Amino acid sequence: MSRMLSKLIKFAAILGALGLISTAAQAGNAYQGYVLFNQTCFLCHGNSGEGDGPLAKKLDVSPADLTDESSRAGESSDRQLFGLIQGTIKHGSGTSAMPRWGLAMPAIQIDSIVAYIRFLQRSKHALPGDPNVGKQVYLDKCAACHGRDGRGNGPLAEVLGMKAKDHTNSAEMNKNPNSYLVEVITHGSAGKSLMPGWKEVLSEEEIEGVVSYIRLLSTY
Ligand code: HEC
Ligand code: HEC
């Protein structure tokens, strides 16, 4: 191998370790993305993602509305959106206040934020409650049948030979409004279906939380 080439490879490895270039495309986790977005990005882009965060007015360049599907963030491929966040693809204004997150975040976290931004752009239904409350409820009460990742294949579903609903299918999940999901979770599915009702077990806040959490299990 030429010395030039081995130097280049070493340089790429260092950039990779710093997270400055992505080494592999990984499937992000929209719930993780939700958490990270509301810890950092909200400062400028707002909790809603529309660009109205508490720091927004202090910036010379307005933070983008990330929820708009016809914006640059909306029209970008996942890889381009990753690059915009990472700081390897330039922003519109050139003199941007948008931080280069590749300096502070590993690639898997950026992938998760990409997944959450897709949710903001493409989900037909907003989150009715707190997904952090919902996560605990889901893992304690629902994952045995629906599976930890929401695919409907938890251990109890196998044992009982049933198919619990797959929450990762966004086209299916988008068909039903939040009010319908709250209703099914509160009272259970009709007939012989093994989907139980949780009225006596969970508070309204917990049910709205778990609806929010399962919405974030969908992939867009
Ligand atoms: C300190 C303020 C600030 C923070 C915090 C911030 N951004 Fe930005 N962001 C901006 C500004 C300003 C722009 C517009 C840049 C421009 O037009 O040059 C922008 C642009 C973007 C764009 C490009 C959109 C487009 O239409 O070009 C994406 C994507 C983005 N931000 C994602 C994020 C994510 C994800 C986070 C959290 C990890 C984040 N931003 C945190 C200020 C911020
Ligand atoms: C004992 C197994 C079991 C448990 C525990 C369980 N489910 Fe289900 N769930 C099912 C089955 C089976 C279905 C499919 C029922 C059907 O389509 O009629 C289902 C369907 C659903 C649906 C879709 C209903 C529809 O009509 O589209 C939602 C939403 C849902 N479950 C949420 C939850 C939540 C949230 C929890 C935890 C609080 C939970 N489930 C716990 C078995 C379970």
Side-chain angles (χ1 to χ4, degrees):
M1 196 189 305
S2 78
R3 270 182 70 190
M4 185 68 171
L5 187 59
S6 71
K7 263 192 189 153
L8 267 179
I9 291 172
K10 219 182 251 169
F11 183 60
I14 293 168
L15 287 182
L18 289 173
L20 288 178
I21 55 172
S22 70
T23 40
Q26 300 173 68
N29 171 319
Y31 168 75
Q32 271 324 313
Y34 163 88
V35 171
L36 291 163
F37 193 93
N38 289 294
Q39 283 168 353
T40 46
C41 317
F42 85 98
L43 278 171
C44 299
H45 295 279
N47 290 107
S48 66
E50 287 167 8
D52 54 356
L55 257 184
K57 287 204 171 62
K58 300 210 176 251
L59 304 175
D60 295 334
V61 181
S62 302
D65 177 354
L66 302 176
T67 67
D68 182 356
E69 263 210 280
S70 61
S71 71
R72 187 165 177 214
E75 285 179 345
S76 298
S77 68
D78 285 356
R79 185 152 280 274
Q80 287 167 331
L81 184 53
F82 183 103
L84 282 165
I85 299 168
Q86 192 183 38
T88 43
I89 296 181
K90 266 213 179 322
H91 296 277
S93 69
T95 54
S96 172
M98 167 66 183
R100 298 171 64 203
W101 292 99
L103 297 171
M105 281 183 184
I108 183 65
Q109 292 188 351
I110 299 178
D111 280 324
S112 292
I113 292 174
V114 168
Y116 179 60
I117 292 174
R118 294 304 182 212
F119 169 85
L120 288 175
Q121 291 166 349
R122 296 174 187 169
S123 171
K124 292 198 167 61
H125 310 285
L127 302 177
D130 182 351
N132 294 315
V133 171
K135 182 185 184 191
Q136 205 49 53
V137 172
Y138 184 83
L139 293 177
D140 288 348
K141 308 277 191 286
C142 322
C145 292
H146 288 275
R148 282 183 75 86
D149 60 4
R151 289 186 197 286
N153 56 357
L156 207 52
E158 303 256 306
V159 173
L160 297 176
M162 66 183 177
K163 183 87 185 95
K165 185 89 176 182
D166 179 356
H167 300 311
T168 65
N169 183 334
S170 55
E172 275 295 311
M173 290 297 289
N174 252 338
K175 284 183 190 159
N176 292 315
N178 292 327
S179 56
Y180 172 82
L181 296 179
V182 166
E183 176 71 18
V184 175
I185 296 166
T186 306
H187 299 293
S189 285
K192 285 200 169 24
S193 154
L194 289 179
M195 169 62 191
W198 298 91
K199 193 174 173 14
E200 318 294 334
V201 183
L202 300 174
S203 67
E204 263 174 56
E205 190 202 351
E206 286 172 318
I207 291 177
E208 285 174 353
V210 83
V211 168
S212 306
Y213 185 71
I214 64 180
R215 289 231 180 266
L216 292 175
L217 292 173
S218 295
T219 45
Y220 286 88

